[in-house]
Amino acid sequence: MTANLLEIRDLHKSYGPVEVLKGVDCDVRAGEVISIIGSSGSGKTTILRCVNMLEEFEGGTIRIDGEEIGYSTAGGQRKRKAEKEIARQRALTGMAFQQFNLFPHMTALENVTLGLTLVRKMGREEARALGENWLDRVGLLQRKDHYPAKLSGGQQQRVAIARAIAMSPRLMLFDEVTSALDPELVAEVLQVVRSLAEDGMTMLLVTHEMRFAYEVSSRVIFMNGGRIGEEGNPREMFAAPKTERLAAFLQSSRFN
Amino acid sequence: MNPPLSFFDIVWLARWPLLYGLGTTVAISALAILGGTVLGTGLGLALTYGNRSVRGIARVYTDVIRGTPVLVLVLASFYILGTVGLDLSAFQAGVLALTLFCASHVGEITRGALQTLHKGQTEAAKAIGLTFGQTFRYVLGPQALRLALPPLINTAAEMVKASTLLSVIGVAELLLRTQEVISRAFHSLEFYLLAGFLYFLVNFAIERLGRYVERRVSLA
Protein backbone atom coordinates (compact mmCIF):
# COMPACT_ATOMS: atom_id res chain seq x y z
CA MET A 1 0.00 0.00 0.00
CA THR A 2 1.40 3.39 -0.97
CA ALA A 3 1.19 6.07 1.68
CA ASN A 4 -1.23 8.88 1.01
CA LEU A 5 0.18 12.30 0.35
CA LEU A 6 -3.00 13.96 1.56
CA GLU A 7 -5.39 12.39 4.00
CA ILE A 8 -8.62 14.11 5.00
CA ARG A 9 -10.68 12.46 7.71
CA ASP A 10 -14.17 13.44 8.76
CA LEU A 11 -13.66 17.13 7.97
CA HIS A 12 -16.28 19.42 9.49
CA LYS A 13 -16.48 23.14 8.92
CA SER A 14 -19.17 25.66 9.79
CA TYR A 15 -19.62 29.31 9.08
CA GLY A 16 -21.58 30.35 12.12
CA PRO A 17 -24.70 28.18 12.23
CA VAL A 18 -24.26 26.97 8.64
CA GLU A 19 -22.39 23.70 8.35
CA VAL A 20 -20.70 23.67 4.95
CA LEU A 21 -18.64 20.51 5.37
CA LYS A 22 -20.43 17.67 7.07
CA GLY A 23 -17.75 15.03 7.29
CA VAL A 24 -15.51 14.72 4.27
CA ASP A 25 -13.01 11.88 3.82
CA CYS A 26 -10.52 11.97 1.01
CA ASP A 27 -7.18 10.35 0.24
CA VAL A 28 -4.83 11.61 -2.39
CA ARG A 29 -1.77 9.69 -3.53
CA ALA A 30 1.27 11.33 -5.02
CA GLY A 31 0.79 12.15 -8.69
CA GLU A 32 -2.99 12.07 -8.60
CA VAL A 33 -4.99 14.84 -10.22
CA ILE A 34 -8.32 15.23 -8.51
CA SER A 35 -11.10 17.51 -9.68
CA ILE A 36 -13.74 18.60 -7.24
CA ILE A 37 -17.00 19.50 -8.92
CA GLY A 38 -20.45 20.41 -7.66
CA SER A 39 -22.82 23.32 -7.48
CA SER A 40 -21.95 26.52 -5.64
CA GLY A 41 -22.27 26.26 -1.89
CA SER A 42 -21.53 22.55 -1.92
CA GLY A 43 -18.25 23.09 -0.08
CA LYS A 44 -15.72 22.53 -2.87
CA THR A 45 -13.64 25.62 -2.28
CA THR A 46 -13.89 25.27 1.48
CA ILE A 47 -12.05 21.95 1.31
CA LEU A 48 -9.09 23.58 -0.43
CA ARG A 49 -9.12 26.47 2.01
CA CYS A 50 -9.04 24.10 4.97
CA VAL A 51 -6.14 22.13 3.50
CA ASN A 52 -3.91 25.21 3.60
CA MET A 53 -5.46 26.66 6.74
CA LEU A 54 -6.96 29.74 5.16
CA GLU A 55 -10.00 28.54 7.08
CA GLU A 56 -10.15 27.13 10.56
CA PHE A 57 -12.11 23.91 10.85
CA GLU A 58 -13.89 22.52 13.85
CA GLY A 59 -13.69 18.80 13.34
CA GLY A 60 -11.66 16.13 11.61
CA THR A 61 -8.04 15.97 10.59
CA ILE A 62 -6.01 16.83 7.54
CA ARG A 63 -2.60 15.24 7.07
CA ILE A 64 0.05 15.90 4.48
CA ASP A 65 2.72 13.20 4.35
CA GLY A 66 1.34 12.03 7.67
CA GLU A 67 1.84 15.40 9.35
CA GLU A 68 -1.28 16.84 10.94
CA ILE A 69 -2.13 20.23 9.47
CA GLY A 70 -3.16 23.19 11.59
CA TYR A 71 -4.02 21.42 14.79
CA SER A 72 -2.47 18.97 17.14
CA THR A 73 -4.42 16.52 19.19
CA ALA A 74 -2.88 15.38 22.44
CA GLY A 75 -4.80 13.57 25.16
CA GLY A 76 -8.12 14.30 23.51
CA GLN A 77 -7.33 18.05 23.45
CA ARG A 78 -7.37 19.71 20.06
CA LYS A 79 -5.12 22.72 19.82
CA ARG A 80 -4.38 25.12 16.99
CA LYS A 81 -0.69 25.05 16.14
CA ALA A 82 1.50 28.10 16.53
CA GLU A 83 1.29 30.70 13.77
CA LYS A 84 4.89 30.07 12.67
CA GLU A 85 4.27 26.36 12.37
CA ILE A 86 1.09 26.95 10.39
CA ALA A 87 2.99 29.28 8.04
CA ARG A 88 5.52 26.50 7.46
CA GLN A 89 2.75 23.98 6.80
CA ARG A 90 1.02 26.31 4.36
CA ALA A 91 4.17 26.27 2.26
CA LEU A 92 3.72 22.50 1.84
CA THR A 93 0.86 23.32 -0.49
CA GLY A 94 0.66 25.88 -3.27
CA MET A 95 -2.55 27.65 -4.05
CA ALA A 96 -3.87 29.47 -7.10
CA PHE A 97 -6.90 31.65 -6.52
CA GLN A 98 -9.91 32.55 -8.62
CA GLN A 99 -8.95 36.24 -8.38
CA PHE A 100 -5.19 35.61 -8.99
CA ASN A 101 -4.26 37.82 -6.00
CA LEU A 102 -0.93 38.89 -7.41
CA PHE A 103 0.85 41.54 -5.37
CA PRO A 104 0.19 44.70 -7.41
CA HIS A 105 3.26 46.57 -6.18
CA MET A 106 5.69 43.91 -7.39
CA THR A 107 6.71 42.88 -10.87
CA ALA A 108 5.83 39.44 -12.18
CA LEU A 109 9.28 38.18 -11.25
CA GLU A 110 9.20 39.73 -7.77
CA ASN A 111 5.84 38.08 -7.18
CA VAL A 112 7.43 34.72 -7.89
CA THR A 113 10.66 35.26 -5.95
CA LEU A 114 9.17 36.75 -2.76
CA GLY A 115 8.37 33.38 -1.20
CA LEU A 116 11.60 31.86 -2.47
CA THR A 117 13.75 34.38 -0.63
CA LEU A 118 11.60 34.77 2.50
CA VAL A 119 10.32 31.26 3.02
CA ARG A 120 12.72 29.02 1.12
CA LYS A 121 15.64 31.25 2.20
CA MET A 122 17.19 31.20 -1.25
CA GLY A 123 19.82 33.72 -2.26
CA ARG A 124 18.76 36.52 -4.55
CA GLU A 125 20.43 35.05 -7.63
CA GLU A 126 19.18 31.53 -7.09
CA ALA A 127 15.64 32.82 -6.55
CA ARG A 128 15.82 34.97 -9.66
CA ALA A 129 17.04 32.07 -11.78
CA LEU A 130 14.30 29.78 -10.50
CA GLY A 131 11.68 32.49 -10.87
CA GLU A 132 12.69 33.18 -14.45
CA ASN A 133 12.68 29.48 -15.13
CA TRP A 134 9.06 29.17 -13.98
CA LEU A 135 7.93 32.31 -15.74
CA ASP A 136 9.45 30.85 -18.88
CA ARG A 137 7.58 27.65 -18.22
CA VAL A 138 4.23 29.52 -18.16
CA GLY A 139 5.30 31.47 -21.26
CA LEU A 140 5.82 34.84 -19.62
CA LEU A 141 9.56 35.28 -19.30
CA GLN A 142 9.48 38.32 -21.57
CA ARG A 143 6.94 39.90 -19.19
CA LYS A 144 8.95 39.34 -16.03
CA ASP A 145 9.43 43.05 -15.28
CA HIS A 146 5.81 43.99 -15.85
CA TYR A 147 3.52 44.92 -12.99
CA PRO A 148 0.28 42.91 -12.72
CA ALA A 149 -1.82 45.85 -13.89
CA LYS A 150 -0.06 45.64 -17.25
CA LEU A 151 -0.89 41.96 -17.71
CA SER A 152 -4.07 40.37 -19.00
CA GLY A 153 -6.16 38.21 -16.67
CA GLY A 154 -4.82 35.04 -18.22
CA GLN A 155 -1.24 36.26 -17.88
CA GLN A 156 -1.82 37.27 -14.27
CA GLN A 157 -3.19 33.84 -13.48
CA ARG A 158 -0.19 32.18 -15.12
CA VAL A 159 2.16 34.32 -13.01
CA ALA A 160 0.12 33.39 -9.93
CA ILE A 161 0.49 29.71 -10.77
CA ALA A 162 4.23 30.18 -11.30
CA ARG A 163 4.43 31.92 -7.92
CA ALA A 164 2.79 28.97 -6.20
CA ILE A 165 4.59 26.19 -8.04
CA ALA A 166 8.05 27.76 -7.74
CA MET A 167 7.85 27.06 -4.01
CA SER A 168 7.93 23.34 -4.93
CA PRO A 169 4.87 22.45 -2.91
CA ARG A 170 3.99 18.82 -2.24
CA LEU A 171 0.50 19.51 -3.48
CA MET A 172 -1.07 22.20 -5.68
CA LEU A 173 -4.53 23.56 -4.97
CA PHE A 174 -6.38 25.29 -7.80
CA ASP A 175 -9.46 27.20 -6.76
CA GLU A 176 -11.60 27.91 -9.84
CA VAL A 177 -8.60 29.40 -11.57
CA THR A 178 -10.46 30.15 -14.79
CA SER A 179 -13.76 31.44 -13.39
CA ALA A 180 -12.74 35.10 -13.39
CA LEU A 181 -11.29 34.99 -16.89
CA ASP A 182 -12.72 36.11 -20.19
CA PRO A 183 -13.60 33.01 -22.24
CA GLU A 184 -10.79 33.53 -24.74
CA LEU A 185 -8.19 33.54 -21.93
CA VAL A 186 -9.28 30.28 -20.32
CA ALA A 187 -7.35 27.99 -22.65
CA GLU A 188 -3.89 29.44 -21.94
CA VAL A 189 -4.37 28.90 -18.20
CA LEU A 190 -5.76 25.40 -18.56
CA GLN A 191 -2.80 24.57 -20.79
CA VAL A 192 -0.44 25.48 -17.95
CA VAL A 193 -2.41 23.40 -15.45
CA ARG A 194 -2.48 20.49 -17.86
CA SER A 195 1.26 20.55 -18.41
CA LEU A 196 1.84 20.54 -14.65
CA ALA A 197 -0.46 17.55 -14.35
CA GLU A 198 1.48 15.76 -17.06
CA ASP A 199 4.66 16.43 -15.10
CA GLY A 200 3.23 14.39 -12.27
CA MET A 201 2.35 17.25 -9.91
CA THR A 202 -0.18 16.17 -7.35
CA MET A 203 -3.15 18.46 -7.54
CA LEU A 204 -6.56 19.15 -6.21
CA LEU A 205 -8.62 21.39 -8.40
CA VAL A 206 -12.00 22.96 -7.94
CA THR A 207 -13.39 23.68 -11.36
CA HIS A 208 -16.46 24.37 -13.43
CA GLU A 209 -14.69 23.32 -16.60
CA MET A 210 -16.25 19.90 -17.00
CA ARG A 211 -14.44 18.95 -20.14
CA PHE A 212 -11.13 19.87 -18.54
CA ALA A 213 -11.99 17.88 -15.42
CA TYR A 214 -12.92 14.98 -17.64
CA GLU A 215 -9.68 15.10 -19.57
CA VAL A 216 -7.01 15.69 -16.93
CA SER A 217 -8.36 14.12 -13.77
CA SER A 218 -7.38 10.73 -12.50
CA ARG A 219 -10.37 10.98 -10.19
CA VAL A 220 -13.37 13.26 -9.81
CA ILE A 221 -15.13 14.12 -6.57
CA PHE A 222 -18.69 15.37 -6.76
CA MET A 223 -19.59 17.46 -3.73
CA ASN A 224 -23.21 17.59 -2.73
CA GLY A 225 -24.47 19.54 0.27
CA GLY A 226 -21.23 19.40 2.26
CA ARG A 227 -20.57 15.71 1.65
CA ILE A 228 -18.95 13.71 -1.10
CA GLY A 229 -21.88 12.74 -3.29
CA GLU A 230 -19.98 10.49 -5.61
CA GLU A 231 -16.39 9.90 -6.64
CA GLY A 232 -14.51 7.89 -9.16
CA ASN A 233 -12.95 7.69 -12.54
CA PRO A 234 -14.21 10.61 -14.68
CA ARG A 235 -15.02 8.42 -17.67
CA GLU A 236 -17.33 6.14 -15.72
CA MET A 237 -18.77 8.91 -13.60
CA PHE A 238 -19.64 11.18 -16.47
CA ALA A 239 -20.93 8.40 -18.65
CA ALA A 240 -23.02 6.70 -16.00
CA PRO A 241 -23.65 8.81 -12.88
CA LYS A 242 -24.84 6.63 -10.00
CA THR A 243 -26.78 9.34 -8.22
CA GLU A 244 -29.58 11.49 -9.53
CA ARG A 245 -27.93 14.59 -8.11
CA LEU A 246 -24.81 14.09 -10.19
CA ALA A 247 -26.86 13.28 -13.28
CA ALA A 248 -28.81 16.52 -12.80
CA PHE A 249 -25.64 18.48 -12.13
CA LEU A 250 -23.91 17.19 -15.24
CA GLN A 251 -26.98 17.89 -17.30
CA SER A 252 -27.04 21.51 -16.17
CA SER A 253 -23.30 22.05 -16.62
CA ARG A 254 -21.89 23.37 -19.82
CA PHE A 255 -19.82 20.59 -21.27
CA ASN A 256 -17.75 22.50 -23.74
CA MET B 1 19.60 111.41 15.62
CA ASN B 2 19.44 108.05 13.86
CA PRO B 3 16.89 107.55 11.13
CA PRO B 4 13.98 105.33 12.24
CA LEU B 5 14.57 101.60 11.74
CA SER B 6 12.73 99.98 8.87
CA PHE B 7 10.77 96.76 9.47
CA PHE B 8 13.49 94.78 7.79
CA ASP B 9 16.11 96.23 10.10
CA ILE B 10 14.02 95.10 13.05
CA VAL B 11 13.61 91.65 11.58
CA TRP B 12 17.38 91.49 11.19
CA LEU B 13 17.85 92.49 14.82
CA ALA B 14 15.31 89.89 15.88
CA ARG B 15 16.66 87.17 13.59
CA TRP B 16 18.05 84.94 16.30
CA PRO B 17 14.93 84.69 18.47
CA LEU B 18 12.84 84.12 15.36
CA LEU B 19 15.17 81.45 13.98
CA TYR B 20 15.30 79.69 17.35
CA GLY B 21 11.52 79.82 17.38
CA LEU B 22 11.36 78.34 13.90
CA GLY B 23 13.86 75.65 14.88
CA THR B 24 11.81 74.78 17.95
CA THR B 25 8.64 74.57 15.86
CA VAL B 26 10.34 72.24 13.39
CA ALA B 27 11.76 70.11 16.21
CA ILE B 28 8.40 69.80 17.98
CA SER B 29 6.61 68.93 14.74
CA ALA B 30 9.25 66.45 13.60
CA LEU B 31 9.30 64.63 16.94
CA ALA B 32 5.51 64.51 17.15
CA ILE B 33 5.13 63.32 13.55
CA LEU B 34 7.84 60.70 13.94
CA GLY B 35 6.61 59.39 17.29
CA GLY B 36 2.99 59.66 16.21
CA THR B 37 3.64 57.68 13.04
CA VAL B 38 5.40 54.85 14.86
CA LEU B 39 2.78 54.69 17.60
CA GLY B 40 -0.07 55.23 15.15
CA THR B 41 1.04 52.40 12.88
CA GLY B 42 0.96 50.06 15.85
CA LEU B 43 -2.44 51.43 16.76
CA GLY B 44 -3.69 50.89 13.20
CA LEU B 45 -2.47 47.28 13.32
CA ALA B 46 -4.22 46.79 16.65
CA LEU B 47 -7.43 48.29 15.28
CA THR B 48 -7.31 46.05 12.22
CA TYR B 49 -5.87 42.74 13.40
CA GLY B 50 -6.14 42.82 17.18
CA ASN B 51 -8.38 40.41 19.03
CA ARG B 52 -11.50 41.76 20.69
CA SER B 53 -9.87 43.27 23.75
CA VAL B 54 -6.87 44.72 21.90
CA ARG B 55 -9.21 46.27 19.36
CA GLY B 56 -11.41 47.63 22.12
CA ILE B 57 -8.53 49.31 23.93
CA ALA B 58 -7.16 50.80 20.71
CA ARG B 59 -10.64 52.00 19.76
CA VAL B 60 -11.21 53.77 23.09
CA TYR B 61 -7.79 55.40 22.91
CA THR B 62 -8.33 56.61 19.35
CA ASP B 63 -11.80 57.97 19.95
CA VAL B 64 -10.97 59.72 23.21
CA ILE B 65 -7.78 61.34 21.97
CA ARG B 66 -9.20 62.31 18.61
CA GLY B 67 -12.26 63.77 20.28
CA THR B 68 -10.26 65.94 22.68
CA PRO B 69 -9.10 69.42 21.65
CA VAL B 70 -5.33 69.47 21.22
CA LEU B 71 -5.07 72.43 23.57
CA VAL B 72 -6.70 70.39 26.32
CA LEU B 73 -4.23 67.56 25.69
CA VAL B 74 -1.32 69.99 25.88
CA LEU B 75 -2.54 71.51 29.14
CA ALA B 76 -3.35 68.12 30.64
CA SER B 77 0.03 66.74 29.68
CA PHE B 78 1.82 69.72 31.24
CA TYR B 79 -0.22 70.22 34.41
CA ILE B 80 -1.74 66.83 35.24
CA LEU B 81 1.27 64.60 34.58
CA GLY B 82 3.25 66.78 36.99
CA THR B 83 0.79 66.09 39.82
CA VAL B 84 1.24 62.33 39.41
CA GLY B 85 4.98 62.63 39.70
CA LEU B 86 5.94 62.58 36.02
CA ASP B 87 7.98 65.74 35.82
CA LEU B 88 8.24 66.83 32.22
CA SER B 89 9.55 70.10 30.88
CA ALA B 90 7.08 72.20 28.92
CA PHE B 91 8.78 71.09 25.70
CA GLN B 92 8.57 67.40 26.62
CA ALA B 93 4.98 67.65 27.79
CA GLY B 94 3.98 69.47 24.63
CA VAL B 95 5.70 66.99 22.34
CA LEU B 96 4.07 64.13 24.26
CA ALA B 97 0.61 65.64 23.82
CA LEU B 98 1.11 66.20 20.11
CA THR B 99 2.57 62.72 19.65
CA LEU B 100 -0.45 61.11 21.29
CA PHE B 101 -2.77 63.22 19.17
CA CYS B 102 -0.86 62.46 15.99
CA ALA B 103 -0.90 58.73 16.79
CA SER B 104 -4.68 58.67 17.05
CA HIS B 105 -4.98 60.15 13.57
CA VAL B 106 -2.30 57.96 12.03
CA GLY B 107 -3.99 54.95 13.65
CA GLU B 108 -7.24 55.68 11.89
CA ILE B 109 -5.49 56.38 8.59
CA THR B 110 -3.55 53.11 8.87
CA ARG B 111 -6.67 51.13 9.71
CA GLY B 112 -8.52 52.68 6.79
CA ALA B 113 -5.74 51.88 4.36
CA LEU B 114 -5.30 48.30 5.58
CA GLN B 115 -9.01 47.58 5.44
CA THR B 116 -9.21 48.85 1.89
CA LEU B 117 -6.76 46.17 0.76
CA HIS B 118 -8.41 43.08 -0.66
CA LYS B 119 -8.27 40.11 1.69
CA GLY B 120 -6.93 38.06 -1.19
CA GLN B 121 -3.62 39.84 -0.66
CA THR B 122 -3.31 38.44 2.84
CA GLU B 123 -4.44 35.02 1.68
CA ALA B 124 -1.97 34.91 -1.20
CA ALA B 125 0.83 35.86 1.18
CA LYS B 126 -0.25 33.20 3.66
CA ALA B 127 -0.53 30.64 0.90
CA ILE B 128 3.15 30.95 0.02
CA GLY B 129 4.00 30.52 3.69
CA LEU B 130 4.70 34.09 4.80
CA THR B 131 4.32 34.82 8.50
CA PHE B 132 2.15 37.72 9.62
CA GLY B 133 5.18 39.96 10.11
CA GLN B 134 6.49 39.20 6.62
CA THR B 135 3.04 39.68 5.13
CA PHE B 136 2.78 43.12 6.68
CA ARG B 137 6.28 44.17 5.81
CA TYR B 138 6.37 43.04 2.20
CA VAL B 139 2.78 42.81 1.03
CA LEU B 140 0.31 44.88 3.05
CA GLY B 141 2.52 47.66 4.37
CA PRO B 142 3.83 48.91 1.02
CA GLN B 143 0.33 48.91 -0.46
CA ALA B 144 -1.21 50.58 2.58
CA LEU B 145 1.51 53.25 2.54
CA ARG B 146 0.54 54.26 -0.98
CA LEU B 147 -3.07 54.67 0.07
CA ALA B 148 -2.23 56.41 3.32
CA LEU B 149 0.33 58.88 2.04
CA PRO B 150 -2.01 61.76 1.11
CA PRO B 151 -3.88 61.77 4.44
CA LEU B 152 -0.57 61.27 6.29
CA ILE B 153 0.89 64.38 4.70
CA ASN B 154 -2.24 66.24 5.68
CA THR B 155 -1.85 65.10 9.28
CA ALA B 156 1.80 66.14 9.30
CA ALA B 157 0.82 69.65 8.22
CA GLU B 158 -1.84 69.71 10.95
CA MET B 159 0.81 68.86 13.52
CA VAL B 160 2.94 71.84 12.48
CA LYS B 161 -0.06 74.09 12.98
CA ALA B 162 -0.96 72.44 16.27
CA SER B 163 2.58 73.08 17.55
CA THR B 164 1.56 76.74 18.01
CA LEU B 165 -0.56 75.62 20.96
CA LEU B 166 2.61 74.89 22.91
CA SER B 167 3.07 78.64 23.26
CA VAL B 168 0.35 78.46 25.90
CA ILE B 169 2.55 76.43 28.24
CA GLY B 170 5.55 78.62 27.52
CA VAL B 171 7.44 76.66 24.91
CA ALA B 172 9.36 79.25 22.93
CA GLU B 173 8.32 78.09 19.50
CA LEU B 174 7.84 80.38 16.55
CA LEU B 175 4.54 81.92 17.59
CA LEU B 176 5.65 82.75 21.12
CA ARG B 177 8.95 84.17 19.88
CA THR B 178 7.06 86.30 17.40
CA GLN B 179 4.82 87.62 20.14
CA GLU B 180 7.84 88.43 22.29
CA VAL B 181 9.44 90.33 19.45
CA ILE B 182 6.22 92.24 18.82
CA SER B 183 5.96 93.21 22.49
CA ARG B 184 9.29 94.98 22.19
CA ALA B 185 9.26 96.24 18.62
CA PHE B 186 5.60 96.58 17.65
CA HIS B 187 4.88 96.10 13.89
CA SER B 188 2.47 93.38 14.98
CA LEU B 189 0.78 92.97 11.59
CA GLU B 190 4.07 92.58 9.75
CA PHE B 191 5.52 90.13 12.26
CA TYR B 192 2.40 87.97 12.28
CA LEU B 193 2.50 87.94 8.48
CA LEU B 194 6.13 86.93 8.65
CA ALA B 195 5.32 84.13 11.10
CA GLY B 196 2.48 83.02 8.86
CA PHE B 197 4.83 82.93 5.92
CA LEU B 198 7.37 80.83 7.85
CA TYR B 199 4.65 78.32 8.86
CA PHE B 200 3.63 78.19 5.23
CA LEU B 201 7.21 77.43 4.21
CA VAL B 202 7.45 74.51 6.64
CA ASN B 203 4.18 73.04 5.44
CA PHE B 204 5.07 73.67 1.83
CA ALA B 205 8.27 71.69 2.37
CA ILE B 206 6.28 68.84 3.93
CA GLU B 207 3.86 68.84 1.03
CA ARG B 208 6.69 68.79 -1.52
CA LEU B 209 8.43 65.98 0.31
CA GLY B 210 5.16 64.05 0.42
CA ARG B 211 4.62 64.50 -3.30
CA TYR B 212 8.15 63.35 -3.96
CA VAL B 213 7.64 60.16 -1.92
CA GLU B 214 4.28 59.57 -3.63
CA ARG B 215 5.95 59.77 -7.01
CA ARG B 216 8.78 57.50 -5.93
CA VAL B 217 6.47 54.73 -4.74
CA SER B 218 3.80 55.12 -7.39
CA LEU B 219 3.31 52.16 -9.70
CA ALA B 220 2.51 54.14 -12.80
Side-chain angles (χ1 to χ4, degrees), chain A residues 81 102 130 220 246 250:
Chain A
K81 289 187 174 169
L102 286 181
L130 187 63
V220 171
L246 176 58
L250 289 174

Coordinates of all heavy atoms in Angstrom, one line a residue, chain A residues 81 102 130 220 246 250:
Chain A
K81 N -2.1 24.9 16.1 CA -0.7 25.1 16.1 C -0.3 26.5 16.1 O -1.0 27.4 15.8 CB -0.1 24.3 15.0 CG -0.2 22.8 15.1 CD 0.5 22.0 14.0 CE 0.5 20.5 14.4 NZ 0.9 19.7 13.3
L102 N -2.3 38.5 -7.3 CA -0.9 38.9 -7.4 C -0.7 40.1 -6.6 O -1.6 40.9 -6.3 CB -0.6 39.2 -8.9 CG -0.5 38.0 -9.8 CD1 -0.1 38.4 -11.2 CD2 0.6 37.0 -9.3
L130 N 15.4 30.7 -10.6 CA 14.3 29.8 -10.5 C 13.0 30.5 -10.9 O 12.2 29.9 -11.6 CB 14.2 29.2 -9.1 CG 13.1 28.2 -8.9 CD1 13.5 26.9 -9.7 CD2 13.0 27.8 -7.4
V220 N -12.5 12.1 -10.0 CA -13.4 13.3 -9.8 C -14.2 13.1 -8.5 O -14.6 12.0 -8.2 CB -14.3 13.4 -11.0 CG1 -15.4 14.5 -10.7 CG2 -13.6 13.8 -12.3
L246 N -25.9 13.9 -9.3 CA -24.8 14.1 -10.2 C -25.3 14.1 -11.6 O -24.9 15.0 -12.4 CB -23.8 13.0 -10.0 CG -22.6 13.0 -11.0 CD1 -21.9 14.3 -11.0 CD2 -21.6 11.9 -10.8
L250 N -24.6 17.3 -14.0 CA -23.9 17.2 -15.2 C -24.8 17.7 -16.4 O -24.3 18.4 -17.3 CB -23.5 15.7 -15.5 CG -22.4 15.2 -14.6 CD1 -22.2 13.7 -14.9 CD2 -21.1 16.0 -14.9

